[in-house]
Amino acid sequence: MAPDLKSFLTTDLFKLMVETWLPLSKTNPIDFGKAIQYVFFESSEDYIKVRDKAWPALKALSELGLDNIPDMTTFLPPVEDSDFPIQALGLQLVLDQAPRVLLQGVDTRWTYAYFGEIALRYALQLQSLPANLRPVSWARWESSVSLDYFVWVRIFFGAPIVHHEKMGATVAAFTEETRTLVEQQLSVRDPYRAQPEKRWDLNGFPKMLMARGPASPCGVAEGTFWLLCLMDVHKPPLDKYGRYPYQNWRLGRVGTPEEDTWMEKAGGIFGPPSEEVVRKIREDVENGIWTPIGISSK
């Protein structure tokens, strides 16, 4: 019997996800230096508090199979509803972010090969709505939140596109739209526009992670442009290799010598947890099977 997804994908879960991933002021200025440190480098223990509500949702979705995933917008209020944008964001966080926190070891394959596909479909579905109704548009948020907060909303709506290996061109369009909005709202210009050696650095992604972001205090303009550059530097590996080298082990692939060299230059920040995990994922892929989530951690 198919699981009753409506009992798992609830308004309470969606709002909990937003509160957990964006514990930021919706109206006051945000110190992007501190926010970036929290979101990317310090928040993993806080994220675990969503487990009781998010894990059953992920488990239920995993039992359906990609061909049987329903229209995810049916779990949201009507698109015209004022609560639609925040609930849409919460559902996106369930699909794209919760797996990254809750699925470890062999389960990591599910994050990229399964939930990554669902999250991307959903993100593109939201993007296909009329411009004035898209939950990723400034028009849906500007009466209730600051530009500072909205930037983080945009970043998380765009994350599934960045995470997917087939969306390089779409990512570039997404970051450009976000960059232009902030430039126009604040009458500034993104300095990274004049620094292609940083935006399109083949090793820029691990370099930026190892640098750990801008120092505090950091305002919305500087912080936004750093975040957008972090998204942009995902593209050079796709242009060169056609895929992300750091996803190879997660998807049961064998890296090429060039990709292995790229991984070495990344300093081990994307390394696999153990040879046993790599072997098991590869065996599952070769045999066309999936180890159910939660099994490998028992």
Side-chain angles (χ1 to χ4, degrees):
M1 179 181 296
D4 177 16
L5 291 180
K6 285 189 178 294
S7 66
F8 301 117
L9 296 172
T10 65
T11 298
D12 286 347
L13 172 59
F14 302 155
K15 293 190 174 182
L16 174 64
M17 292 297 297
V18 175
E19 292 167 1
T20 304
W21 260 258
L22 282 78
L24 309 168
S25 172
K26 293 183 178 181
T27 55
N28 295 327
I30 293 171
D31 183 336
F32 273 67
K34 291 181 179 179
I36 287 169
Q37 287 299 310
Y38 175 80
V39 169
F40 290 101
F41 306 111
E42 300 172 355
S43 53
S44 58
E45 292 185 4
D46 291 341
Y47 290 163
I48 296 301
K49 69 183 182 183
V50 307
R51 180 182 176 88
D52 288 347
K53 287 186 177 293
W55 178 269
L58 297 180
K59 182 66 174 176
L61 285 166
S62 75
E63 294 171 354
L64 294 178
L66 285 175
D67 292 338
N68 300 309
I69 297 298
D71 177 350
M72 299 305 291
T73 63
T74 60
F75 302 101
L76 301 173
V79 67
E80 299 85 2
D81 193 296
S82 61
D83 214 31
F84 179 83
I86 195 166
Q87 290 198 44
L89 175 60
L91 177 52
Q92 187 66 281
L93 293 171
V94 171
L95 300 174
D96 180 68
Q97 295 294 315
R100 285 173 159 70
V101 174
L102 302 180
L103 305 184
Q104 304 297 320
V106 174
D107 290 344
T108 304
R109 179 190 174 201
W110 287 90
T111 299
Y112 294 85
Y114 190 86
F115 290 105
E117 296 298 326
I118 301 171
L120 178 65
R121 292 180 197 172
Y122 173 64
L124 295 179
Q125 185 178 10
L126 294 179
Q127 193 64 15
S128 71
L129 292 171
N132 64 313
L133 294 177
R134 293 172 192 162
V136 74
S137 70
W138 177 224
R140 294 300 303 263
W141 295 82
E142 63 178 323
S143 64
S144 58
V145 305
S146 66
L147 181 66
D148 298 44
Y149 187 86
F150 177 70
V151 164
W152 285 101
V153 169
R154 283 276 302 185
I155 293 299
F156 279 116
F157 268 126
I161 301 172
V162 177
H163 293 150
H164 202 283
E165 294 179 323
K166 304 301 182 185
M167 302 302 293
T170 304
V171 171
F174 180 88
T175 59
E176 181 59 23
E177 182 179 338
T178 311
R179 180 178 294 109
T180 300
L181 170 68
V182 172
E183 288 178 331
Q184 292 175 347
Q185 291 291 317
L186 301 179
S187 299
V188 295
R189 181 172 175 80
D190 183 352
Y192 289 104
R193 287 189 183 278
Q195 300 176 63
E197 73 282 0
K198 290 185 178 180
R199 287 179 70 192
W200 313 122
D201 181 358
L202 179 62
N203 301 104
F205 181 36
K207 285 180 182 177
M208 290 187 72
L209 289 181
M210 287 187 282
R212 296 181 67 88
S216 173
C218 174
V220 57
E222 180 185 356
T224 298
F225 298 145
W226 186 90
L227 288 167
L228 297 178
C229 187
L230 185 68
M231 286 181 151
D232 284 339
V233 293
H234 282 69
K235 191 171 184 294
L238 293 181
D239 291 341
K240 183 163 181 69
Y241 308 119
R243 59 191 191 178
Y244 292 134
Y246 51 87
Q247 287 191 13
N248 285 340
W249 72 264
R250 295 171 169 91
L251 296 172
R253 301 186 306 221
V254 177
T256 67
E258 276 192 316
E259 290 172 336
D260 291 343
T261 298
W262 187 93
M263 289 287 286
E264 291 173 7
K265 291 182 178 179
I269 61 175
F270 302 121
S274 70
E275 291 184 5
E276 180 182 357
V277 167
V278 174
R279 176 188 57 77
K280 176 58 176 170
I281 291 176
R282 192 167 297 162
E283 285 180 355
D284 282 359
V285 171
E286 291 173 351
N287 293 324
I289 62 175
W290 291 81
T291 296
I293 65 172
I295 296 296
S296 63
S297 61
K298 293 180 179 179

